[in-house]
mmCIF file of all heavy atoms in Angstrom:
data_model
loop_
_atom_site.group_PDB
_atom_site.id
_atom_site.type_symbol
_atom_site.label_atom_id
_atom_site.label_comp_id
_atom_site.label_asym_id
_atom_site.label_seq_id
_atom_site.Cartn_x
_atom_site.Cartn_y
_atom_site.Cartn_z
ATOM 1 N N SER B 1 0.812 -1.200 0.008
ATOM 2 C CA SER B 1 0.000 0.005 0.007
ATOM 3 C C SER B 1 0.867 1.232 0.004
ATOM 4 O O SER B 1 0.555 2.216 -0.719
ATOM 5 C CB SER B 1 -0.970 -0.001 1.185
ATOM 6 O OG SER B 1 -0.263 0.000 2.393
ATOM 7 N N THR B 2 1.937 1.266 0.753
ATOM 8 C CA THR B 2 2.775 2.443 0.791
ATOM 9 C C THR B 2 3.431 2.678 -0.532
ATOM 10 O O THR B 2 3.335 3.809 -1.082
ATOM 11 C CB THR B 2 3.896 2.261 1.873
ATOM 12 O OG1 THR B 2 3.272 2.071 3.130
ATOM 13 C CG2 THR B 2 4.828 3.452 1.906
ATOM 14 N N VAL B 3 4.078 1.704 -1.080
ATOM 15 C CA VAL B 3 4.806 1.882 -2.361
ATOM 16 C C VAL B 3 3.832 2.132 -3.506
ATOM 17 O O VAL B 3 4.036 3.066 -4.298
ATOM 18 C CB VAL B 3 5.706 0.641 -2.629
ATOM 19 C CG1 VAL B 3 6.301 0.728 -4.011
ATOM 20 C CG2 VAL B 3 6.800 0.586 -1.568
ATOM 21 N N LEU B 4 2.787 1.319 -3.640
ATOM 22 C CA LEU B 4 1.875 1.499 -4.779
ATOM 23 C C LEU B 4 1.159 2.830 -4.783
ATOM 24 O O LEU B 4 0.969 3.426 -5.849
ATOM 25 C CB LEU B 4 0.853 0.336 -4.784
ATOM 26 C CG LEU B 4 1.431 -1.003 -5.213
ATOM 27 C CD1 LEU B 4 0.321 -2.082 -5.152
ATOM 28 C CD2 LEU B 4 2.054 -0.995 -6.580
ATOM 29 N N ILE B 5 0.799 3.295 -3.627
ATOM 30 C CA ILE B 5 0.081 4.576 -3.558
ATOM 31 C C ILE B 5 1.059 5.725 -3.734
ATOM 32 O O ILE B 5 0.853 6.632 -4.535
ATOM 33 C CB ILE B 5 -0.689 4.740 -2.249
ATOM 34 C CG1 ILE B 5 -1.874 3.737 -2.233
ATOM 35 C CG2 ILE B 5 -1.224 6.163 -2.079
ATOM 36 C CD1 ILE B 5 -2.544 3.624 -0.900
ATOM 37 N N MET B 6 2.136 5.744 -2.976
ATOM 38 C CA MET B 6 3.037 6.877 -2.965
ATOM 39 C C MET B 6 3.857 7.043 -4.252
ATOM 40 O O MET B 6 4.283 8.156 -4.561
ATOM 41 C CB MET B 6 3.967 6.807 -1.766
ATOM 42 C CG MET B 6 3.240 6.898 -0.431
ATOM 43 S SD MET B 6 2.083 8.257 -0.304
ATOM 44 C CE MET B 6 3.189 9.637 -0.302
ATOM 45 N N ILE B 7 4.062 6.008 -5.031
ATOM 46 C CA ILE B 7 4.814 6.144 -6.279
ATOM 47 C C ILE B 7 4.063 6.997 -7.265
ATOM 48 O O ILE B 7 4.682 7.763 -8.016
ATOM 49 C CB ILE B 7 5.088 4.729 -6.847
ATOM 50 C CG1 ILE B 7 6.296 4.140 -6.130
ATOM 51 C CG2 ILE B 7 5.365 4.816 -8.340
ATOM 52 C CD1 ILE B 7 6.670 2.762 -6.582
ATOM 53 N N PHE B 8 2.767 6.960 -7.235
ATOM 54 C CA PHE B 8 1.935 7.652 -8.213
ATOM 55 C C PHE B 8 1.490 9.035 -7.784
ATOM 56 O O PHE B 8 0.891 9.766 -8.570
ATOM 57 C CB PHE B 8 0.714 6.790 -8.590
ATOM 58 C CG PHE B 8 1.093 5.511 -9.219
ATOM 59 C CD1 PHE B 8 0.940 4.312 -8.494
ATOM 60 C CD2 PHE B 8 1.630 5.405 -10.486
ATOM 61 C CE1 PHE B 8 1.312 3.077 -9.042
ATOM 62 C CE2 PHE B 8 2.002 4.193 -11.046
ATOM 63 C CZ PHE B 8 1.823 3.038 -10.326
ATOM 64 N N VAL B 9 1.815 9.446 -6.594
ATOM 65 C CA VAL B 9 1.404 10.735 -6.084
ATOM 66 C C VAL B 9 2.597 11.664 -6.003
ATOM 67 O O VAL B 9 3.643 11.262 -5.545
ATOM 68 C CB VAL B 9 0.770 10.579 -4.674
ATOM 69 C CG1 VAL B 9 0.309 11.893 -4.084
ATOM 70 C CG2 VAL B 9 -0.396 9.602 -4.690
ATOM 71 N N PRO B 10 2.449 12.904 -6.484
ATOM 72 C CA PRO B 10 3.585 13.840 -6.420
ATOM 73 C C PRO B 10 3.809 14.373 -5.007
ATOM 74 O O PRO B 10 2.971 14.208 -4.141
ATOM 75 C CB PRO B 10 3.137 14.966 -7.351
ATOM 76 C CG PRO B 10 1.665 14.942 -7.272
ATOM 77 C CD PRO B 10 1.269 13.515 -7.101
ATOM 78 N N GLU B 11 4.927 15.006 -4.829
ATOM 79 C CA GLU B 11 5.254 15.647 -3.524
ATOM 80 C C GLU B 11 4.264 16.787 -3.314
ATOM 81 O O GLU B 11 3.683 17.323 -4.272
ATOM 82 C CB GLU B 11 6.673 16.167 -3.553
ATOM 83 C CG GLU B 11 7.108 16.890 -2.254
ATOM 84 C CD GLU B 11 7.009 16.011 -1.012
ATOM 85 O OE1 GLU B 11 7.910 15.196 -0.776
ATOM 86 O OE2 GLU B 11 6.017 16.202 -0.261
ATOM 87 N N SER B 12 4.056 17.144 -2.065
ATOM 88 C CA SER B 12 3.151 18.213 -1.708
ATOM 89 C C SER B 12 3.607 19.549 -2.273
ATOM 90 O O SER B 12 4.745 19.969 -2.065
ATOM 91 C CB SER B 12 3.090 18.327 -0.181
ATOM 92 O OG SER B 12 2.653 19.571 0.243
ATOM 93 N N PRO B 13 2.711 20.240 -3.015
ATOM 94 C CA PRO B 13 3.085 21.527 -3.558
ATOM 95 C C PRO B 13 3.397 22.544 -2.443
ATOM 96 O O PRO B 13 4.254 23.395 -2.589
ATOM 97 C CB PRO B 13 1.847 21.983 -4.341
ATOM 98 C CG PRO B 13 0.953 20.791 -4.419
ATOM 99 C CD PRO B 13 1.389 19.806 -3.437
ATOM 100 N N THR B 14 2.695 22.434 -1.338
ATOM 101 C CA THR B 14 2.928 23.335 -0.179
ATOM 102 C C THR B 14 4.351 23.156 0.335
ATOM 103 O O THR B 14 5.064 24.128 0.595
ATOM 104 C CB THR B 14 1.901 23.075 0.915
ATOM 105 O OG1 THR B 14 0.586 23.238 0.361
ATOM 106 C CG2 THR B 14 2.094 24.043 2.071
ATOM 107 N N TRP B 15 4.763 21.912 0.518
ATOM 108 C CA TRP B 15 6.119 21.672 1.025
ATOM 109 C C TRP B 15 7.153 22.152 0.053
ATOM 110 O O TRP B 15 8.170 22.750 0.430
ATOM 111 C CB TRP B 15 6.336 20.153 1.308
ATOM 112 C CG TRP B 15 7.696 19.884 1.863
ATOM 113 C CD1 TRP B 15 8.093 20.050 3.150
ATOM 114 C CD2 TRP B 15 8.824 19.417 1.146
ATOM 115 N NE1 TRP B 15 9.424 19.702 3.266
ATOM 116 C CE2 TRP B 15 9.910 19.364 2.044
ATOM 117 C CE3 TRP B 15 9.039 19.088 -0.182
ATOM 118 C CZ2 TRP B 15 11.165 18.934 1.669
ATOM 119 C CZ3 TRP B 15 10.308 18.675 -0.592
ATOM 120 C CH2 TRP B 15 11.353 18.583 0.357
ATOM 121 N N LEU B 16 6.894 21.924 -1.258
ATOM 122 C CA LEU B 16 7.843 22.384 -2.282
ATOM 123 C C LEU B 16 7.965 23.906 -2.230
ATOM 124 O O LEU B 16 9.057 24.442 -2.376
ATOM 125 C CB LEU B 16 7.397 21.891 -3.668
ATOM 126 C CG LEU B 16 7.551 20.391 -3.898
ATOM 127 C CD1 LEU B 16 6.797 19.982 -5.142
ATOM 128 C CD2 LEU B 16 9.021 19.967 -3.952
ATOM 129 N N LEU B 17 6.854 24.602 -2.063
ATOM 130 C CA LEU B 17 6.919 26.077 -1.928
ATOM 131 C C LEU B 17 7.649 26.512 -0.676
ATOM 132 O O LEU B 17 8.364 27.498 -0.675
ATOM 133 C CB LEU B 17 5.483 26.682 -1.942
ATOM 134 C CG LEU B 17 4.843 26.664 -3.357
ATOM 135 C CD1 LEU B 17 3.395 27.086 -3.235
ATOM 136 C CD2 LEU B 17 5.614 27.597 -4.277
ATOM 137 N N LEU B 18 7.467 25.761 0.442
ATOM 138 C CA LEU B 18 8.221 26.054 1.646
ATOM 139 C C LEU B 18 9.726 25.968 1.434
ATOM 140 O O LEU B 18 10.498 26.637 2.084
ATOM 141 C CB LEU B 18 7.787 25.121 2.782
ATOM 142 C CG LEU B 18 6.487 25.431 3.448
ATOM 143 C CD1 LEU B 18 6.056 24.287 4.376
ATOM 144 C CD2 LEU B 18 6.517 26.740 4.265
ATOM 145 N N LYS B 19 10.103 25.089 0.512
ATOM 146 C CA LYS B 19 11.523 24.907 0.183
ATOM 147 C C LYS B 19 11.953 25.749 -1.019
ATOM 148 O O LYS B 19 13.049 25.543 -1.543
ATOM 149 C CB LYS B 19 11.807 23.442 -0.104
ATOM 150 C CG LYS B 19 11.506 22.516 1.074
ATOM 151 C CD LYS B 19 12.330 22.869 2.278
ATOM 152 C CE LYS B 19 12.007 22.015 3.458
ATOM 153 N NZ LYS B 19 12.738 22.406 4.649
ATOM 154 N N ASN B 20 11.139 26.712 -1.438
ATOM 155 C CA ASN B 20 11.397 27.624 -2.555
ATOM 156 C C ASN B 20 11.657 26.865 -3.859
ATOM 157 O O ASN B 20 12.494 27.281 -4.696
ATOM 158 C CB ASN B 20 12.605 28.540 -2.234
ATOM 159 C CG ASN B 20 12.246 29.527 -1.152
ATOM 160 O OD1 ASN B 20 11.153 30.074 -1.152
ATOM 161 N ND2 ASN B 20 13.181 29.732 -0.224
ATOM 162 N N ARG B 21 10.922 25.815 -4.061
ATOM 163 C CA ARG B 21 11.032 25.021 -5.328
ATOM 164 C C ARG B 21 9.747 25.270 -6.113
ATOM 165 O O ARG B 21 8.936 24.389 -6.273
ATOM 166 C CB ARG B 21 11.249 23.569 -4.959
ATOM 167 C CG ARG B 21 12.632 23.362 -4.322
ATOM 168 C CD ARG B 21 12.771 22.087 -3.532
ATOM 169 N NE ARG B 21 12.594 20.877 -4.285
ATOM 170 C CZ ARG B 21 12.716 19.654 -3.746
ATOM 171 N NH1 ARG B 21 13.077 19.505 -2.486
ATOM 172 N NH2 ARG B 21 12.488 18.576 -4.480
ATOM 173 N N LYS B 22 9.570 26.480 -6.605
ATOM 174 C CA LYS B 22 8.337 26.916 -7.233
ATOM 175 C C LYS B 22 8.014 26.166 -8.515
ATOM 176 O O LYS B 22 6.862 25.832 -8.757
ATOM 177 C CB LYS B 22 8.360 28.422 -7.505
ATOM 178 C CG LYS B 22 8.302 29.220 -6.230
ATOM 179 C CD LYS B 22 8.290 30.721 -6.493
ATOM 180 C CE LYS B 22 8.261 31.431 -5.159
ATOM 181 N NZ LYS B 22 8.184 32.890 -5.339
ATOM 182 N N ASP B 23 8.992 25.859 -9.352
ATOM 183 C CA ASP B 23 8.738 25.135 -10.601
ATOM 184 C C ASP B 23 8.211 23.736 -10.320
ATOM 185 O O ASP B 23 7.232 23.275 -10.944
ATOM 186 C CB ASP B 23 9.980 25.056 -11.459
ATOM 187 C CG ASP B 23 10.388 26.418 -12.043
ATOM 188 O OD1 ASP B 23 9.510 27.310 -12.120
ATOM 189 O OD2 ASP B 23 11.566 26.557 -12.420
ATOM 190 N N GLU B 24 8.846 23.074 -9.348
ATOM 191 C CA GLU B 24 8.405 21.716 -8.982
ATOM 192 C C GLU B 24 7.011 21.771 -8.336
ATOM 193 O O GLU B 24 6.201 20.884 -8.583
ATOM 194 C CB GLU B 24 9.378 21.074 -8.006
ATOM 195 C CG GLU B 24 10.708 20.711 -8.599
ATOM 196 C CD GLU B 24 11.670 20.180 -7.585
ATOM 197 O OE1 GLU B 24 11.403 19.071 -7.005
ATOM 198 O OE2 GLU B 24 12.669 20.887 -7.256
ATOM 199 N N ALA B 25 6.748 22.794 -7.555
ATOM 200 C CA ALA B 25 5.423 22.955 -6.940
ATOM 201 C C ALA B 25 4.332 23.138 -7.995
ATOM 202 O O ALA B 25 3.271 22.561 -7.881
ATOM 203 C CB ALA B 25 5.437 24.136 -5.954
#
């Protein structure tokens, strides 16, 4: 369940913005 679900879901846009990774967000 962990691997199958999490492989297909992107990283959190909020966390990416907190890390100043706007393009990835």
Side-chain angles (χ1 to χ4, degrees):
S1 63
T2 300
V3 172
L4 288 178
I5 292 169
M6 296 310 292
I7 280 180
F8 298 107
V9 180
E11 180 58 81
S12 159
T14 304
W15 181 80
L16 291 167
L17 285 172
L18 283 169
K19 300 298 179 186
N20 292 319
R21 294 161 58 179
K22 291 183 180 181
D23 290 339
E24 290 175 68

